[in-house]
Amino acid sequence: MLKMTQTAAPGTPDIEDIVENFALLDDWDDRYRYVIELGRGLTPLPDADRSDSNKVQGCTSQVWLATTVQRGTAAPVLDFIGDSDAHIVRGLVAILLAMVTGRTAPEILAADPIALFEKLGLREHLTPQRSNGFRSMVARIKADAQAAMAAAA
């Protein structure tokens, strides 16, 4: 049975649950369906956040990531919402958001979403364009975390 503990990213299960659920699914068709299901669970992105400034460059599909920075703690905490016009990419957004939303900027900068992407076997089962798009999303999130750190200094 798949686990679905909620995280700080509305509509997204906890990243540990996602990893456990992937381990339970032996067939790649089931894993693809799960990735798509994760994307369907994302909170809809408000139209106002579908702006050019939130659009991730380097993705074949259209991808938007909106960042909110919370200050008042030792390190800024970043929250992300996102969306894509492609079902599988929307699922990749959900996995990435489960890993980084609600974390501090230093935690985000120390995280290795690419390693998780490879651990889940996604790189070998997705097109190179999708893999490159995921890397572009990671670069965008890390740049936002770096900017939050710089602004806090």
Side-chain angles (χ1 to χ4, degrees):
M1 174 157 221
L2 299 180
K3 292 174 68 180
M4 296 294 260
T5 307
Q6 285 298 120
T7 66
T12 306
D14 185 76
I15 193 63
E16 287 82 17
D17 289 348
I18 292 172
V19 172
E20 285 181 33
N21 291 341
F22 258 85
L24 294 172
L25 301 170
D26 295 325
D27 182 64
W28 264 99
D29 285 341
D30 291 337
R31 288 181 176 192
Y32 278 128
R33 280 191 285 278
Y34 179 55
V35 170
I36 291 169
E37 179 184 324
L38 289 171
R40 285 188 182 130
L42 280 177
T43 300
L45 188 70
D47 287 339
D49 288 324
R50 292 178 189 273
S51 64
D52 286 341
S53 63
N54 287 337
K55 197 168 188 182
V56 178
Q57 302 305 313
C59 293
T60 302
S61 304
Q62 292 191 83
V63 176
W64 299 271
L65 292 174
T67 308
T68 305
V69 180
Q70 301 173 31
R71 305 204 189 280
T73 58
V77 174
L78 283 78
D79 291 313
F80 299 92
I81 55 174
D83 199 3
S84 175
D85 62 348
H87 295 295
I88 194 81
V89 176
R90 194 164 203 251
L92 297 177
V93 169
I95 293 169
L96 184 57
L97 295 186
M99 187 174 192
V100 299
T101 287
R103 309 272 193 249
T104 66
E107 288 173 324
I108 292 168
L109 292 170
D112 191 353
I114 302 299
L116 176 66
F117 186 77
E118 292 181 4
K119 177 182 177 182
L120 296 176
L122 291 168
R123 186 174 59 86
E124 62 201 48
H125 287 92
L126 295 175
T127 65
Q129 292 87 355
R130 297 266 191 251
S131 294
N132 288 339
F134 187 79
R135 288 178 189 279
S136 295
M137 288 185 267
V138 170
R140 165 66 184 280
I141 283 171
K142 293 219 178 223
D144 288 354
Q146 191 67 49
M149 289 290 293

